Amino acid sequence: MTYSWNWGVLLQEPYLQWLGWGLALTLAISLSALVIALSVGTAVGVLRSSDHAVLRAVTGAYISVFRNIPLLLQMFLWFFVVPELLPAGAGHWLKRDLPYPEIVTAIVALGLFTSSRIAVQVSAGIDAVPRGQRMAAKAAGLSQLQAYRLVLLPQALRIIIPPLTSEILTIFKNSSVALTIGVYELTTQTQQIQSITYQGFEAFTAATILYVAIAMTVTVIMRAIERRVALPGTTSGGLHVRF
Amino acid sequence: MTSHEMIKVEGLSKSFGPLEVLKECSLTVRRGEVVVICGPSGSGKSTLVKCINGIEEFERGQVWIEGEALPSRGRAAARLRARVGMVFQHFELYPHLTVLENICLAPVHVLKRPRTEAAAKARALLARVGLADKEAAYPAQLSGGQQQRIAIVRALAMDPVAMLFDEPTSALDPEMIGEVLAVMLELARDGMTMIVVTHEMGFAKSAADRVVFMDKGAIVEIDETQAFFAAPRSDRARLFLSRILAH
Amino acid sequence: MSASDLAPITNSLPFLLQGLGLSVLLTAIAMVGGIVLGLVIALVRLTRVPVLAPFAALYVNGFRAVPLILVIFWFYFLVPLLLGRSVGALYSVLIAFVMFEGAYYSEIMRAGLQSVRVGQWQAAKALGLGYLQTVRLIALPQALRNMAPLMVTQGVILFQDTALVYVVSLHDFMTSVSIVANNTSSPVEMYVFAALVYLAICQVGNALAGRLKRASRTA
C-alpha cells in the first residue's frame, strides 16, 4: 500500500472551512428535522393509540408509507415528484422561489421519515402504560385530551426514552442522505475534499470523528434527561416495560 | 325516584363477545348507605362497579346518580363521573406525580379549583389519614397501604357524593390491610355513601348496611347485613360464605 | 395512469429487474454475512475475551455512530488501496455492508443471548457442557425465537439501505430507476413506481416479522 499522508490538508483553506460548513449544515438539518419528527410523530402516535377505528387505519397507513420507502427515494419524491403533482402555481413556487430548496426538502423528508418511527414508539409507549391508569383518569372525570396530556403521555415518554435516543442518533446519521439531492452537509464535504485532494484517509477520518462526537454528545444529553425525569424510588425511570 | 336514592342501577347487562359478564343487574343505594358486594371471583363484581361510574361501557340498562341518568360518553358523562369517587385494586396512583400532585390533579383540571385551594384541601385530607409528611413523596417510595390511603384521599379531594371501592385491599400485604380498612370504616361512620367490592367479611359485618351477593354475572341476593351472615337465602351464597369464613 | 405513462417502466423492465436483483442480492449477502459476523462479535463481547472484547465494543459503537454513506465511501476508497488494484464498486460495497450490518446484528444477538435465563446456563454447566456447546445447543435455539422478528425487521431496514449504493453508481434498483427517470424525463412515473415496489416488498418483510413475533409469544 502506497499512500502519502498529509494530515495538514484538513487545516488548509478552503478545506477547513468546508468541514465547518458541512458540520453546521448537518446539525441544522438534523435538529430541524428532529422538531418535525417529534411533533408529527407524537401526534400520529397518540391518534394511533386511540380506539377509533378510522383514526387507527389512517395513522397505520401513514406509518406504513413513511417507514417502508427508502429515505433516499423519499427525498427524490419530495424534490422531483411533489412539485409536479401540485397545482401549477404552488409547484412553480417550490421550484423557483423557495429559498434553499434542497435543504428545505431534506429537512421535510428526513423529519417525516423519522416521524413514522417515532409514532410507532409513542403508541407502543402509550400501550405500555397500565390500563388502570386510563381508568383512573377517566374515573376522575378527566377528558380524553387531559388524560393524554396529564397522565398517559408523561409516562409513555419516560418509557420510550431509550429507543427514542437511538432514533435521534439515527436522524443525525440519516441527514447524510441529503447528499443525494445536492446538500453540502458533512459527508458531502469530506467526499469533495477526498475527490479533489485524494487525501481520503484524512478527510473520512475527520468526518468519522465529527459523527462520533455528535453521537457521544447526543447520548450524554439523553442520559442527563433520563436521569432528570427518572422517578424517585424506582430504577430505570420507574416504568419497567419490555417491548 | 326519591331524593334519598343516591345510586340506582336498573337492568344492567354487558357481554364480552358471547360471554355475558353482567345479567340484568339492578340495585338501589340510599344516601349514606354502605353496601358491600361479594361473590366468587369472576362473578362480575368489579365490572358492575366500573359500570356504575361508566368507566366500563355496557350494552343495556341505565345508571342514575342522584337522579341524573349517566350518559354513555362525552363531557356530561365525565362531569357526572367526577362526582363519584373510585378506589382501585392496584391503587392506580399516577407514578410520575408526587402525592400532592396526584391529589390535586383532578380538582385543578376538572373542577377548575385554584391550585392553592386544592393543595390546602389535599393537605387537610392527608393529615386525616396520617400521611401529612408524605406530600412530596412519589408513589414508588410508599408502601402499598400508604398508596391506597392516598388513593382514597385523591378520590375524596373531589368532594364525591359517593365512593366506589373495587377490592381495595386484595393487592395489599396482610399487615397493611388494617390501616386501609380503618380509613374506610371512618368514612362509613361519617356518613359517606359507599359501594365496596371486597372479600373482607369483617369489614362487611362492621360497616355494611346491606350485602349484595353476586355469582356468574347476576345479583343472586341482596340482604340486610345481619340477615346475610346469619342465614343467606341462596345455596350459592351459603357455600360461598362457608368457604370464605373457613380461613 | 394511462398506458403511455407506463411506457418508461415497461420499456426498461429487464434493466429495472436486473437492478432489483442486485438489491436483493446485496440484502441477502449483507444479512447472512452480518448475522455470522454479528454472532462472533456478540460472543467475543459476552465472554469478555481479553483484548478482543474491548476492540469488539469499539467496532460496534464506531460503526453505529457513523452514517452508512460514509462507511460506503470509506470502503470504496480503502479496498482498492489495501489490495493495490481496483476491484470495482461491488466488492467494496459488499464488504462495507457486511461490516456495517455485523455491528447492528451483533447487538440483536447479544440482547437475544442475554435474554436466556441464567438458570438455563447454569443447568447446562451442571450437565458438563462447555460454553460454546451451551451457546449452540441451549442458548441460541431459545434466543432465536426472540431474535428472529428483530432480525427480519433489520433486514427490511437493510433492504431500504441498499438504495444508498446510488452514491457509488452501482446499478441497484434505486439507481436503475433514477437512470431511466433521467433518460426518459419521467421522474413522476418512475419514482412513484419505485416507491410502490419498495413499499410492497417491505410490507412482506414486516408481515413476516409480525408472524414471527406472534409465534415467539405463543411458543
Side-chain angles (χ1 to χ4, degrees), chain A residues 1 3 64 67-70 72-73 76-77 81 84 173 176-177 179 187 191 194 200-201 204-205 208 211, chain C residues 64-67 69-70 73-74 77-78 81-82 104 160 163 166-167 174 188 191 194-195 198-199 202-203 206:
Chain A
M1 184 175 109
Y3 186 82
S64 192
R67 242 171 100 98
N68 290 315
I69 297 172
L72 165 56
L73 179 51
F76 278 26
L77 287 168
V81 176
E84 304 296 333
K173 291 182 273 175
S176 63
V177 178
L179 169 148
T187 303
Q191 205 264 343
Q194 188 266 333
F201 255 114
F204 294 142
T205 301
T208 302
Y211 278 113
Chain C
R64 282 159 48 93
V66 298
I69 292 187
L70 184 60
F73 281 148
W74 256 122
F77 161 77
L78 267 185
L81 204 64
L82 288 172
Y104 282 83
Q160 293 186 38
Y166 173 87
V167 299
M174 179 69 219
V188 176
Y191 292 135
Y198 276 110
L199 198 58
C202 292
Q203 284 291 35
N206 289 334

Side-chain angles (χ1 to χ4, degrees), chain C residues 20-44:
Chain C
L20 190 59
L22 182 66
S23 297
V24 172
L25 183 76
L26 253 174
T27 306
I29 293 177
M31 208 168 155
V32 173
I35 288 172
V36 173
L37 180 60
L39 179 61
V40 174
I41 295 172
L43 288 177
V44 165

Side-chain angles (χ1 to χ4, degrees), chain C residues 108-196:
Chain C
I108 296 175
M109 315 281 263
R110 198 159 68 105
L113 287 171
Q114 276 176 327
S115 73
V116 176
R117 279 184 296 123
V118 181
Q120 292 287 313
W121 296 88
Q122 289 170 339
K125 208 171 181 179
L127 288 171
L129 294 181
Y131 181 77
L132 285 180
Q133 281 178 314
T134 309
V135 167
R136 186 163 52 88
L137 300 170
I138 313 290
L140 265 186
Q142 294 185 47
L144 214 55
R145 284 183 193 287
N146 296 330
M147 295 187 312
L150 290 174
M151 285 160 93
V152 173
T153 306
Q154 180 63 28
V156 171
I157 296 172
L158 164 61
F159 178 64
Q160 293 186 38
D161 277 349
T162 59
L164 296 178
V165 302
Y166 173 87
V167 299
V168 289
S169 308
L170 211 54
H171 288 191
D172 76 314
F173 182 60
M174 179 69 219
T175 313
S176 309
V177 164
S178 78
I179 290 170
V180 175
N182 284 336
N183 290 349
T184 59
S185 306
S186 50
V188 176
E189 295 80 355
M190 289 313 297
Y191 292 135
V192 170
F193 167 68
L196 293 175

